[in-house]
C-alpha cells in the first residue's frame, strides 16, 4: 500500500467529520437568516402577551386596493403632521374569516376622534374594521381584520402592514381610558 492510501485508512472518520461540520455550518447559517427575519420584540410593535401571529393573506401585488389611503407625502407611511407612522385606511365591508387584530397604538387627533394603529395584510386581499363601545369611564376598541369577500379565491402572500383607522366617538375622549375590546361578533 502506498502512503496516501494508508493515510486515508488511518482517518476513516475524516469524511464524516467534514460532512458534520458542513451540516452544522448550514444549520447555523439558517438560524442566522431566520433570526434576522424575525426581528426583536419591537419589530412589529411588541404586541401583547398572548398575541399569536396571524396568517393574514396579502396580495402578490404591492398596489393599493380600493378603500386604502396612504396619508404620507410620497414615500413610506410618514404623517407630515407628526402623528402615527401608519397608513390611514377606510373600513372594509363584507369581510370573511374575521379575527381580532390587537391594536398597538392610538392617538386622539380631535376631541371626538380616536385613531388606532394595528397590523394587517396587503389591502388587495385583506380588509379591516373597528368596533367601539363607550361609557363615561372608558372607550373600548376592537380592531378586526378579515379576508375581503372579493379576494376569497385569490393567491395571496403573507405580510404585515401597519395601518390605522380614524374612529368618530359619540362624546369627546377627555380623560376616559382607551382599552381593548375583546368580545366582538366576528364573521366566519
Amino acid at each position: 500500500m502506498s502512503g496516501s492510501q494508508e493515510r486515508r485508512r488511518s482517518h476513516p472518520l475524516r469524511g464524516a467529520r467534514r460532512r458534520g461540520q458542513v451540516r452544522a455550518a448550514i444549520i447555523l447559517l439558517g438560524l442566522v437568516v431566520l433570526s434576522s427575519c424575525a426581528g426583536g420584540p419591537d419589530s412589529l410593535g411588541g404586541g401583547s402577551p398572548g398575541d399569536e401571529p396571524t396568517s393574514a393573506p396579502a396580495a402578490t401585488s404591492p398596489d393599493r386596493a380600493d378603500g386604502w389611503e396612504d396619508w404620507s407625502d410620497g414615500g413610506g407611511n410618514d404623517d407630515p403632521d407628526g402623528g402615527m407612522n401608519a397608513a390611514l385606511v377606510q373600513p372594509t365591508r363584507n369581510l370573511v374569516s374575521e379575527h381580532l387584530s390587537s391594536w398597538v397604538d392610538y392617538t386622539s387627533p380631535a376631541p371626538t376622534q380616536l385613531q388606532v394603529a394595528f397590523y394587517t395584510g396587503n389591502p388587495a386581499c385583506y380588509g379591516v374594521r373597528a368596533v367601539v363601545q363607550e361609557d363615561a369611564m372608558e372607550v373600548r376598541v376592537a380592531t378586526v381584520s378579515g379576508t375581503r369577500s372579493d379576494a376569497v379565491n385569490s393567491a395571496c402572500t403573507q405580510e404585515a402592514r401597519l395601518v390605522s383607522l380614524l374612529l368618530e366617538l359619540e362624546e369627546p375622549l377627555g380623560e376616559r381610558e382607551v382599552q381593548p375590546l375583546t368580545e366582538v361578533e366576528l364573521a366566519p
Side-chain angles (χ1 to χ4, degrees):
M1 249 184 235
S2 71
S4 65
Q5 288 175 340
E6 286 180 26
R7 192 175 305 140
R8 282 188 214 138
R9 282 189 184 169
S10 65
H11 299 288
L13 298 177
R14 177 182 283 184
R17 184 178 301 150
R18 182 77 170 152
R19 284 190 300 273
Q21 290 172 340
V22 169
R23 194 174 302 132
I26 290 171
I27 290 171
L28 182 60
L29 179 62
L31 291 174
V32 168
V33 169
L34 285 175
S35 67
S36 68
C37 292
D42 295 330
S43 65
L44 291 178
S48 300
D51 280 353
E52 296 296 325
T54 62
S55 58
T60 56
S61 168
D63 297 331
R64 284 188 200 92
D66 292 336
W68 288 70
E69 299 174 5
D70 184 352
W71 44 291
S72 69
D73 56 354
N77 293 330
D78 297 326
D79 177 8
D81 297 313
M84 278 191 270
N85 188 22
L88 182 62
V89 299
Q90 296 297 315
T92 309
R93 292 188 185 96
N94 302 322
L95 298 175
V96 297
S97 301
E98 289 183 329
H99 61 275
L100 291 176
S101 295
S102 298
W103 48 268
V104 295
D105 197 7
Y106 74 90
T107 187
S108 183
T112 59
Q113 291 182 332
L114 192 63
Q115 186 174 350
V116 292
F118 57 102
Y119 286 91
T120 189
N122 187 303
C125 288
Y126 225 51
V128 297
R129 68 182 178 93
V131 178
V132 179
Q133 292 180 354
E134 299 180 51
D135 63 29
M137 299 301 290
E138 63 186 9
V139 175
R140 290 173 302 284
V141 179
T143 48
V144 178
S145 298
T147 303
R148 296 169 51 104
S149 60
D150 59 350
V152 170
N153 294 318
S154 298
C156 299
T157 59
Q158 294 182 8
E159 60 187 81
R161 292 186 178 211
L162 182 62
V163 300
S164 66
L165 285 171
L166 186 61
L167 311 172
E168 291 294 329
L169 302 176
E170 294 172 8
E171 301 291 328
L173 180 59
E175 297 297 316
R176 296 187 290 173
E177 287 189 43
V178 180
Q179 298 290 327
L181 176 61
T182 58
E183 305 253 342
V184 177
E185 188 174 332
L186 302 172

